[in-house]
Amino acid sequence: MAIKTKDLNARLFGKADKRRATTPTEAQTAARDKAAVIELAVAGEETVAFELIKISAGEVAEKTQVFEENAREQAFLTEHALADILSTLKERGQQYPAVGRWLDDGRIEVLDGSRRRMSCILAEKDFLIYVGKGINSEHAKFLSDVANAHKPLSLYERGKEMQALLESGKVSDQKELAKYCQCSEALVSGALKAASLPMELLMAYPSVSELGRPTIVKLHRLFFGLSEHQQQAFVGELNNGKAALWKTIDASGITRITREVTNHLEQLGETLKPKMVIEKPQPLELVKGKISYLREGDKLQLKLKKLTERQADDILAYLADYLK
């Protein structure tokens, strides 16, 4: 029976291409060196062996899926949102393998590395991932949450997590939520506002993670300032085009594109609001053919015609005396 190279090396030199990682630094070193197998203590509990798997570029989307409880919204992973790793990956390939677990149907669920996965799909590169067996949902959630610490979540994604905490009863209000998440109440408010916005609105942007609290507050005020019917029309307009709104903007640079998208959304909101027609008060006739007047708040305009010089003097003298 043929002996694998790594097994032969183990017999000859007393070592195998295998790492046991007990700290994040050791795990990163093992990942960088692309050891064939690494052992990780998941959530500080049982140790799991992860085998390095290479998935060919054309099969990444089919053979892998992202952990459904991953806080990162996959729909937001555009070319702009992945710009920090996409250019390097296109030139050199994937530098650090992702981490996942085997599913019963033979596919792989990505727990750490959903951004690397999408980058490989967009760049048409092979996907490297360490895959373990027998990882339960609790440990899968732990690995997924730890991974998201490397790249901050967007306000929308943080807001979704906060909504889940409120709905589960772990916290009762925004004040407790701020303490639990170790952030300001202003950030909590902004994140919850972001999470309440429709996906169609947020996906109009090239990178949702670039949207700060001021923009989110502006969008929240814009969208929820519309009636329910107007909101439906607003979302309908965003769905009309085949491409996302940001792709239709004739500008370069993520900051400028983001600003232009916001301006476009504000203009769209204005077109949907019914124009308020303010009726101006009309002059009324006091003495037919001679005197008309116009009242507007505390203002009164008199228009007098066909007056003799004496009548005009008397009226002016009366007004001056009356309004002293």
Side-chain angles (χ1 to χ4, degrees), residues 24-78:
T25 302
E26 290 177 356
Q28 289 171 3
T29 301
R32 183 185 64 232
D33 296 342
K34 299 183 178 66
V37 177
I38 59 174
E39 292 182 341
L40 296 176
V42 182
E45 297 177 10
E46 68 180 285
T47 300
V48 178
F50 290 83
E51 179 186 4
L52 184 61
I53 302 291
K54 179 192 282 189
I55 302 172
S56 60
E59 297 180 313
V60 179
E62 178 186 349
K63 289 192 173 181
T64 68
Q65 68 180 49
V66 177
F67 181 48
E68 63 178 10
E69 291 186 48
N70 190 319
R72 202 174 296 285
E73 178 54 60
Q74 299 303 298
F76 296 157
L77 298 184
T78 65

Side-chain angles (χ1 to χ4, degrees), residues 156-265:
Y156 174 88
E157 292 160 337
R158 295 193 70 178
K160 283 296 184 184
E161 287 192 319
M162 291 175 182
Q163 276 186 342
L165 288 170
L166 286 169
E167 291 169 2
S168 69
K170 284 188 177 180
V171 292
S172 59
D173 54 29
Q174 292 190 24
K175 192 169 185 178
E176 280 190 25
L177 198 50
K179 288 182 181 178
Y180 186 91
C181 297
Q182 297 182 342
C183 62
S184 67
E185 289 185 51
L187 192 147
V188 169
S189 176
L192 291 175
K193 279 183 168 67
S196 68
L197 293 171
M199 284 285 289
E200 292 86 353
L201 190 157
L202 294 168
M203 290 183 68
Y205 287 90
S207 176
V208 177
S209 61
E210 298 295 323
L211 299 181
R213 196 160 54 87
T215 302
I216 289 296
V217 171
K218 183 184 292 185
L219 294 175
H220 187 272
R221 187 184 303 119
L222 164 66
F223 186 74
F224 290 99
L226 302 173
S227 67
E228 186 176 346
H229 176 73
Q230 291 164 356
Q231 288 175 358
Q232 292 172 357
F234 188 92
V235 171
E237 285 292 327
L238 294 176
N239 284 332
N240 271 344
K242 293 182 180 178
L245 177 58
W246 67 268
K247 293 183 178 180
T248 68
I249 302 296
D250 185 18
S252 59
I254 193 167
T255 301
R256 188 176 172 191
I257 295 173
T258 297
R259 184 170 60 247
E260 291 296 322
V261 169
T262 301
N263 291 339
H264 186 94
L265 293 173

